[in-house]
Amino acid sequence: MRLIPQLQLFCLVEDLGFDLTLATPTGRNVIVEIKRTHSMRDVRNALLSLVTALAQRPDADALCLVYESRLSSQRLEEELSTFRELLRPDLAERVYLAMAVDQDFQGTLPRGTEGLLDDLRAAIQRDGGEAAAPRVSRQHVMATLVQRWLDGFQGSSITQTQRLTGASRPTVAAAHADLRAANVVRVQSLMVTVIDDISGPILQKLAQEYAKTRKLAWYTDVSGMNRSPAEMASRLLKLQASGRIGLDVQIGGVIGAKEHYSDLDLTAAPRLDLCVYGSADGIARHLDAGLQPIKPFAHGHPFLQPSLVLHEQRPLADTTGASGNAAPSLDCLADLMEMGLEAQAQQMASFLVDRARGMHR
């Protein structure tokens, strides 16, 4: 049984976002996917993405180029041979798999690329530089997709999700797989994930996992004379209006949650939670000069509670925020759960799910 005739192609090839496209002297294009991996599963996924593109591009060949890998060139050669057996002959003869070792290449390269080896080496260097950047977690990718669903958006391809989050393709693919495992996905094509529905308890669980990826900084004033959370939130907005604090700080916690869910059953915020997407330096001092950094339940102060908590994190990209500079609703929900406000978190989760279901009808 051959694989390609049975595949359904849900996305345009232009959205597949491969690492490089070479125009060869033969007049044919070569689509290149570069993988820095020890996993044969990653290689197979790359080959599958490439052959999906080839089915729509009769003028092109495709190359998966592996580097800095423990996989042997012989193992890759065997994998390519097995993979080609699953394809139509007109596709099998156009897909290639090779390995870069130092400045050389092992394996068979597409015809016409012999004079373009410097372009391949430069692409590998770029990929290595991007791989050295701080990694985006799988939980953050899932949170971004869930937040988009909560805000009324629907459907993201792997490449679109990469653009939104800055995550690597394997990380995005793993996040899509986790959403499938949570039974919240309606459609999963080769490249596109569409969330069907999320229950309140599942939303709380996803928020809780996402919260673990954020770096927290706690502050309090042991004198007890510090500004209230509401006063500090008001001061934040004034400082942002004057430019003394950047706009890459948003209000989360109870105050932010009330911007999303006005019926939240709390009369006052026990602390101010802020989502910080840039540098946190000086924020606490600007809000209240008496605030001092502490550790939660610090030694000698078993009941010392923070007045201000800074969540240093990546933004949940391409989301719609509420008024009042509120952080995304998933961040606010995560804050409630971190504070142990379980009943309020349950109320908010149910509200957010019901609102999202209405937008997706």
Side-chain angles (χ1 to χ4, degrees), residues 14-265:
E14 289 78 10
D15 189 49
L16 296 182
F18 294 108
D19 294 308
L20 181 68
T21 300
L22 296 174
T24 71
T26 65
R28 294 185 64 79
N29 292 325
V30 177
I31 303 167
V32 183
E33 180 73 351
I34 298 172
K35 304 301 294 184
R36 182 188 193 187
T37 183
H38 307 301
S39 168
M40 188 57 75
R41 179 178 179 181
D42 289 344
V43 174
R44 290 170 186 150
N45 287 340
L47 289 172
L48 185 57
S49 296
L50 286 166
V51 82
T52 301
L54 290 183
Q56 303 178 62
R57 291 281 299 275
D59 64 327
D61 297 322
L63 168 65
C64 176
L65 188 56
V66 180
Y67 76 106
E68 292 187 16
S69 176
R70 290 194 294 266
L71 297 170
S72 68
S73 57
Q74 180 181 355
R75 176 79 187 281
L76 293 178
E77 184 179 343
E78 293 171 352
E79 182 65 26
L80 178 61
S81 177
T82 301
F83 186 77
R84 280 175 164 174
E85 291 176 0
L86 299 173
L87 305 178
R88 300 192 315 251
D90 62 305
L91 292 175
E93 65 186 12
R94 293 160 51 205
V95 62
Y96 297 81
L97 176 60
M99 173 180 286
V101 180
D102 295 326
Q103 293 295 305
D104 199 8
F105 297 93
Q106 298 178 359
T108 305
L109 298 175
R111 292 180 299 277
T113 57
E114 297 83 359
L116 303 173
L117 300 185
D118 285 343
D119 295 304
L120 292 176
R121 294 185 184 105
I124 290 172
Q125 273 194 322
R126 287 196 302 272
D127 188 80
E130 291 171 0
R135 297 190 63 181
V136 181
S137 70
R138 182 176 80 253
Q139 291 81 4
H140 179 84
V141 175
M142 293 174 65
T144 298
L145 294 171
V146 170
Q147 184 66 63
R148 282 174 58 79
W149 182 80
L150 292 174
D151 289 336
F153 296 97
Q154 186 56 283
S156 293
S157 71
I158 287 180
T159 301
Q160 286 170 331
T161 308
Q162 281 186 272
R163 293 192 192 116
L164 288 170
T165 63
S168 67
R169 186 178 290 258
T171 298
V172 171
H176 282 215
D178 283 352
L179 288 175
R180 291 200 306 275
N183 295 319
V184 300
V185 170
R186 171 165 52 89
V187 175
Q188 170 68 40
S189 73
L190 288 176
M191 303 294 289
V192 180
T193 288
V194 178
I195 293 176
D196 180 23
D197 190 32
I198 300 176
S199 67
I202 291 295
L203 181 61
Q204 288 180 262
K205 183 177 180 180
L206 291 170
Q208 194 170 38
E209 289 300 310
Y210 162 62
K212 296 176 183 177
T213 68
R214 305 182 302 174
K215 178 182 176 183
L216 304 187
W218 299 50
Y219 296 85
T220 196
D221 185 340
V222 294
S223 72
M225 302 297 291
N226 57 293
R227 292 185 173 95
S228 70
E231 290 171 333
M232 285 192 289
S234 178
R235 181 167 173 77
L236 170 69
L237 298 179
K238 293 177 182 177
L239 291 169
Q240 288 182 315
S242 67
R244 294 175 64 188
I245 290 182
L247 298 177
D248 55 353
V249 179
Q250 292 183 314
I251 300 172
V254 171
I255 296 175
K258 284 195 171 185
E259 293 291 337
H260 296 281
Y261 176 40
S262 59
D263 291 335
L264 189 70
D265 186 20

Side-chain angles (χ1 to χ4, degrees), residues 296-330:
F297 306 106
H299 179 68
H301 299 279
F303 302 108
L304 193 61
Q305 296 296 322
S307 305
L308 171 69
V309 178
L310 303 182
H311 304 263
E312 299 178 58
Q313 61 187 88
R314 293 176 178 270
L316 291 179
D318 193 33
T319 60
T320 55
S323 60
N325 196 29
S329 56
L330 193 65

